[in-house]
Amino acid sequence: MKSYSDSYKAAGVDVTAGYRSVELMKEHIARTMIPGVVSGIGGFGGLFAPDFSGMAEPVLVSGTDGVGTKLKVAMLLDKHDTIGIDAVAMCVNDVICCGAKPLFFLDYIACGKNIPEKIAQIVAGVAEGCVQAGCALIGGETAEHPGMMAEADYDLAGFTVGIVDKPKAIDGSKLQAGDVLIGLCSSGLHSNGFSLVRRVFGLSESNIGKHFMELGGTLGETLLTPTRIYVKAVLAAMEAAEVKAISHITGGGFYENIPRMMKEGLTAKVEKSAIPTPPIFPLLQKTGNIPEHDMYNTFNMGVGMVMAVSRESAQAAANAVEAAGEKAVILGEVTEGNEGVVLC
């Protein structure tokens, strides 16, 4: 008997829309298939068989996150095919900080009303993020929440599981004064600080399409630019050099995230003049009259990830990052002290 429920539909949940969503997203999910995937979508769990060959002590590393209020930008623009990249990026960029290669990803979408074509767009972005990270999308969940969310609203989150050989895990223990800090450039705001961004610009349908000469496009287009996924660049750097510590510059900016990769007795000294800051940041600071400290304590300011490497291998690491398609800059160095990070 075909599954449907008129009673449930009358309460606001259309189960047949869920089936239609799954059919539409299958072609996007197929793009992410990699060796190790055991099951297709539709089961109660996603199966993955990791390859432990060549590893002395394989360790699984997990990470979870959401997109946050950047979703409001996608809703205002009615453009939903890139926001999934952000969901993947926020997770895989975390686990790569310890050197873990992401294996698979699962997403969770809660929506006021399941519109299959819209859900498929969201998942298309998730799939693209997985392709960029080299991991598989092996499952997920779409939940319809009538009465809790407006029909046009949705939330998006997910998690990833990666793997690293414990002797090769990056934990900052080998850091020493004189090591070089390499920044991996961001594409803009990524997925952090959007509650402040929305307040500063008073985002609405009336101004989301406003063109700014300094941005070279509209405000909405700039804000919706997807988060960079640094997995392949970091893995390449690890092959070319001794990467000692990594920090993902997300919520909390420089002041919260960089100290997390430092060890006792050492400080990261960052030259602000070395940071290639995209125009959205000075526009945001000027429009909102935001103190410089708050900018660096909230946003990435143009650097989405920081790696600490030995001075001898710094150029090799930077070259590997560039060859992998990301832009690398020398930000400063590791010095003695207990200040975590110093911006000068």
Side-chain angles (χ1 to χ4, degrees), residues 58-73:
V59 175
L60 296 179
V61 182
S62 60
T64 185
D65 208 341
V67 180
T69 60
K70 183 174 183 175
L71 288 169
K72 280 292 186 182
V73 180

Side-chain angles (χ1 to χ4, degrees), residues 60-229:
L60 296 179
V61 182
S62 60
T64 185
D65 208 341
V67 180
T69 60
K70 183 174 183 175
L71 288 169
K72 280 292 186 182
V73 180
M75 293 174 196
L76 286 170
L77 290 173
D78 194 24
K79 186 178 188 308
H80 312 283
D81 59 346
T82 63
I83 202 72
I85 299 175
D86 295 281
V88 176
M90 299 307 288
C91 298
V92 299
N93 284 347
D94 276 354
V95 302
I96 195 63
C97 285
C98 65
K101 181 186 186 302
L103 297 174
F104 57 82
F105 186 86
L106 282 83
D107 61 20
Y108 176 79
I109 304 168
C111 57
K113 181 177 178 59
N114 187 332
I115 302 172
E117 292 75 16
K118 182 176 177 180
I119 298 300
Q121 285 183 43
I122 297 169
V123 174
V126 175
E128 173 59 27
C130 288
V131 169
Q132 292 183 22
C135 65
L137 178 57
I138 64 170
E141 172 71 9
T142 302
E144 210 168 4
H145 289 170
M148 287 186 64
M149 306 173 73
E151 286 193 356
D153 287 355
Y154 64 92
D155 196 11
L156 171 63
F159 77 92
T160 191
V161 173
I163 191 168
V164 65
D165 195 2
K166 190 175 181 180
K168 298 179 181 179
I170 298 170
D171 60 7
S173 61
K174 297 180 180 179
L175 275 174
Q176 61 185 25
D179 287 340
V180 173
L181 301 174
I182 297 177
L184 278 62
C185 296
S186 74
S187 57
L189 290 163
H190 283 186
S191 299
N192 302 108
F194 271 82
S195 293
L196 177 56
V197 171
R198 289 166 50 232
R199 185 189 67 79
V200 168
F201 290 116
L203 287 184
S204 65
E205 291 183 358
S206 63
N207 69 0
I208 194 72
K210 182 178 180 180
H211 189 279
F212 285 84
M213 184 173 62
E214 55 265 62
L215 298 179
T218 68
L219 180 60
E221 291 168 344
T222 301
L223 298 181
L224 199 58
T225 303
T227 305
R228 299 298 299 176
I229 291 178

Side-chain angles (χ1 to χ4, degrees), residues 23 36-37 41 53 104 168 203 206 216 247 255 268 307:
E23 287 302 314
V37 176
I41 61 170
S53 61
F104 57 82
K168 298 179 181 179
L203 287 184
S206 63
S247 176
Y255 288 110
M307 300 190 304

Side-chain angles (χ1 to χ4, degrees), residues 233-308:
V234 171
L235 291 174
M238 290 171 62
E239 287 289 327
E242 182 184 17
V243 179
K244 298 183 178 183
I246 306 178
S247 176
H248 182 198
I249 311 303
T250 57
F254 285 66
Y255 288 110
E256 285 190 24
N257 290 296
I258 293 180
R260 294 167 66 181
M261 78 176 191
M262 305 305 295
K263 70 176 184 179
E264 188 74 19
L266 295 176
T267 296
K269 183 180 179 181
V270 176
E271 300 286 344
K272 288 185 290 186
S273 61
I275 300 173
T277 303
I280 183 61
F281 294 105
L283 176 64
L284 177 63
Q285 183 176 8
K286 179 181 178 181
T287 304
N289 192 28
I290 303 171
E292 183 182 70
H293 177 276
D294 290 4
M295 292 294 294
Y296 281 94
N297 208 154
T298 307
F299 304 107
N300 68 64
M301 299 303 288
V303 173
M305 186 160 282
V306 176
M307 300 190 304

